[in-house]
């Protein structure tokens, strides 16, 4: 269990894709650490139910991360309600098993719109606010697929490499303003996304050197560290949590 008490006291955090899975686990940890959290998603019923379950420190906003206008609307709403954004976790994403030759135009466009443009829009909307504050932490959720080639998930891997690159570029742009940008590269996590592996799930799980899937809270603990002031000298870096997969 990650020790969280007081580590994000007084901070306002936005977590995309927070209705379930990894985003919901991050929200729980952030609340326990003292943050006020806004979770966003397109899964409105699940998002509202999660916010209600997590209590008064959490609110939910509908948010399609592939829309630059919806990003502007979400950021404006958070600023109107809370006055600032201290932490942004670009967590929303999709996954698909498809090789290079199996990837259709529609598959490619959808993957880039959510996984890549969604992160870009978030960075672009939040950066000037954090720059004006003189502080802030942005955590972009990439993947081990953003560290090496992934044959079975061509378009997914392409977007996760892009997230890694955008993280480094944004970190350079914002470092002098006191704003940090880092990426987290999880291995295989026990969340609904794992179901996308289908028949490949068993072999993938058995290939993990640590012998098991990661729990969402384990990855969330690393995200919490990067969101907190404990990681004040960390920016532009990729943090791997994969049970030994890339060792």
């Amino acid at each position: 269990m990650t020790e969280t008490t007081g580590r994000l006291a007084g901070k306002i955090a936005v977590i995309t894709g927070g209705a379930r899975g990894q985003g919901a686990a991050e929200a729980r940890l952030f609340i326990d650490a003292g943050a006020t959290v806004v979770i966003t998603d397109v899964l409105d019923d699940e998002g509202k139910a999660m916010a209600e379950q997590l209590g008064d420190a959490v609110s939910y906003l509908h948010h399609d991360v592939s829309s630059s206008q919806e990003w502007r609307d979400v950021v404006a709403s958070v600023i109107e309600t809370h006055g600032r954004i201290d932490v942004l976790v670009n967590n929303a994403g999709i996954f698909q098993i498809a090789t290079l030759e199996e990837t259709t135009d529609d598959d490619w466009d959808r993957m880039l719109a959510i996984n890549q443009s969604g992160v870009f829009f978030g960075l672009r909307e939040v950066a000037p606010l954090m720059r004006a504050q003189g502080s802030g932490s942005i955590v972009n959720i990439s993947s081990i697929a953003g560290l090496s080639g992934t044959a079975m998930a061509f378009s997914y891997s392409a977007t996760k490499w892009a997230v890694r690159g955008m993280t480094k570029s944004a970190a350079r742009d914002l470092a002098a303003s006191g704003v940090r940008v880092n990426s987290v590269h999880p291995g295989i996590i026990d969340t609904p996304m794992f179901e996308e592996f289908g028949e490949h799930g068993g072999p993938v799980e058995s290939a993990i050197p640590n012998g098991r899937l990661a729990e969402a809270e384990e990855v969330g603990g690393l995200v919490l560290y990067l969101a907190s002031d404990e990681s004040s000298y960390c920016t532009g870096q990729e943090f791997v949590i994969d049970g030994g997969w890339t060792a």
Side-chain angles (χ1 to χ4, degrees):
M1 179 67 70
T2 302
E3 175 58 43
T4 62
T5 305
R7 295 169 67 187
L8 295 180
K11 293 189 183 294
I12 308 299
V14 176
I15 301 174
T16 68
R20 63 180 185 176
Q22 183 60 47
E26 292 157 3
R28 289 189 188 94
L29 289 171
F30 279 30
I31 295 159
D32 289 344
T36 298
V37 178
V38 179
I39 58 173
T40 79
D41 214 304
V42 294
L43 303 173
D44 291 334
D45 291 342
E46 292 178 65
K48 291 173 184 175
M50 182 57 63
E52 184 174 346
Q53 175 187 328
L54 294 177
D56 293 341
V58 182
S59 58
Y60 171 77
L61 292 174
H62 175 85
H63 183 198
D64 175 359
V65 297
S66 70
S67 165
S68 60
Q69 183 59 56
E70 291 199 21
W71 264 109
R72 287 190 288 273
D73 293 344
V74 163
V75 168
S77 178
V78 175
I79 294 301
E80 181 179 2
T81 303
H82 301 290
R84 59 188 294 120
I85 297 175
D86 299 296
V87 180
L88 170 63
V89 182
N90 278 312
N91 172 80
I94 58 173
F95 175 74
Q96 180 186 30
I97 291 290
T99 66
L100 165 63
E101 293 158 296
E102 294 168 342
T103 301
T104 68
D105 290 358
D106 287 344
D107 293 337
W108 177 258
D109 290 344
R110 182 168 181 260
M111 191 70 67
L112 264 65
I114 296 171
N115 288 11
Q116 183 171 338
S117 294
V119 173
F120 160 60
F121 294 146
L123 287 166
R124 188 179 64 182
E125 292 306 314
V126 169
L129 302 174
M130 290 185 172
R131 191 191 295 275
Q133 292 168 186
S135 65
S137 175
I138 301 172
V139 184
N140 297 324
I141 306 301
S142 181
S143 167
I144 53 173
L147 298 171
S148 61
T150 306
M152 292 193 305
F154 178 81
S155 59
Y156 178 78
S157 183
T159 62
K160 293 305 184 179
W161 276 87
V163 169
R164 182 184 179 193
M166 288 189 292
T167 296
K168 290 183 175 295
S169 183
R172 285 277 190 171
D173 283 343
L174 297 171
S177 301
V179 180
R180 300 180 295 107
V181 190
N182 292 287
S183 58
V184 170
H185 297 255
I188 315 302
I189 312 172
D190 188 10
T191 67
M193 188 177 284
F194 181 67
E195 297 171 7
E196 297 295 327
F197 279 100
E199 64 184 16
H200 303 288
V204 166
E205 184 173 357
S206 66
I208 301 170
N210 206 36
R212 64 176 177 83
L213 303 177
E215 296 294 331
E217 185 185 67
E218 292 176 294
V219 180
L222 176 55
V223 176
L224 171 62
Y225 166 71
L226 293 172
S228 76
D229 294 338
E230 297 163 22
S231 57
S232 58
Y233 204 61
C234 300
T235 195
Q237 302 305 309
E238 54 271 330
F239 290 80
V240 183
I241 178 164
D242 68 353
W245 186 285
T246 57

